[in-house]
């Protein structure tokens, strides 16, 4: 399966993985900054339009924790996710665990590859089973992530 959501290519590299790839017109150091600084994350990592990110905690080091929380402005809906960084290679790669509500844990690997001042970001989620992978896809996660990455491109253009 290969689909494109808001300019982000979504593929299924294996029975337990979801990969999302997008190229940004910005150097890897700038894309990295947008992925790791709470003030910038709050501007783009929002999923569908209309959400806010009141919780954004980042302790970017191996063994450091992260926690994100989203909410609707009217208070009608909110959710959180959190995890721990297991690999941090500046401007190149971030690997972290991911726990979302009562769902089984996963591991997310984000890579940043720069060529001629443009950066291709690939975020690969590895889940426990094909059933879990398919359940994650069924939530509309790819649409929300695609919109977030589209928004990230807009933010990068202003930096």
């Amino acid at each position: 399966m290969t689909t494109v959501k808001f300019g982000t290519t979504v593929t299924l590299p294996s029975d337990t993985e979801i990969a999302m790839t997008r190229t940004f017109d910005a150097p890897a150091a700038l894309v990295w900054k947008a992925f790791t600084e709470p003030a910038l994350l709050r501007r783009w990592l929002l999923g569908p339009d209309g959400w806010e990110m009141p919780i954004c905690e980042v302790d970017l080091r191996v063994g450091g924790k992260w926690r994100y929380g989203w909410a609707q402005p009217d208070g009608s809906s909110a959710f959180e996710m959190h995890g721990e960084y297991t690999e941090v290679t500046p401007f190149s790669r971030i690997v972290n665990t991911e726990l979302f509500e009562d769902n089984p844990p996963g591991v997310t690997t984000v890579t940043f590859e720069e060529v001629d001042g443009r950066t291709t970001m690939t975020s690969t989620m590895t889940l426990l089973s094909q059933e879990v992978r398919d359940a994650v896809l069924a939530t509309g996660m790819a649409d929300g992530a695609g919109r977030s990455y589209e928004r990230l491109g807009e933010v990068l253009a202003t930096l």
Side-chain angles (χ1 to χ4, degrees):
M1 171 198 135
T2 300
T3 60
V4 178
K5 303 287 186 173
F6 297 99
T8 297
T9 301
V10 180
T11 58
L12 306 177
S14 76
D15 289 346
T16 60
E17 294 176 304
I18 303 166
M20 295 173 287
T21 303
R22 185 176 183 110
T23 299
F24 298 100
D25 192 17
L30 192 58
V31 180
W32 173 273
K33 181 178 178 175
F35 262 82
T36 59
E37 292 188 9
L40 292 173
L41 283 162
R42 282 189 162 109
R43 291 176 58 190
W44 67 267
L45 189 57
L46 302 172
D49 291 334
W51 286 83
E52 297 175 345
M53 190 180 197
I55 300 169
C56 186
E57 300 168 1
V58 175
D59 181 7
L60 188 65
R61 61 184 173 85
V62 172
K65 310 280 190 217
W66 63 272
R67 187 178 128 202
Y68 301 153
W70 295 269
Q72 292 268 320
D74 64 5
S76 63
S77 186
F79 64 95
E80 289 186 31
M81 60 190 338
H82 65 278
E84 180 176 317
Y85 296 104
T86 59
E87 184 180 336
V88 177
T89 305
F91 317 124
S92 174
R93 182 177 167 94
I94 301 170
V95 181
N96 59 265
T97 60
E98 185 172 300
L99 296 165
F100 175 68
E101 297 179 341
D102 294 330
N103 296 313
V107 173
T108 298
T109 301
V110 182
T111 60
F112 307 87
E113 295 181 31
E114 182 179 339
V115 176
D116 296 329
R118 300 188 74 203
T119 302
T120 298
M121 176 280 314
T122 301
S123 177
T124 304
M125 296 177 65
T126 303
L127 302 153
L128 293 177
S129 68
Q130 182 174 350
E131 293 76 23
V132 172
R133 181 203 69 188
D134 293 348
V136 168
L137 284 171
T139 67
M141 176 277 301
D143 290 329
R147 177 61 185 114
S148 286
Y149 294 142
E150 179 182 55
R151 198 179 290 114
L152 172 56
E154 295 165 2
V155 169
L156 289 168
T158 69
L159 299 179

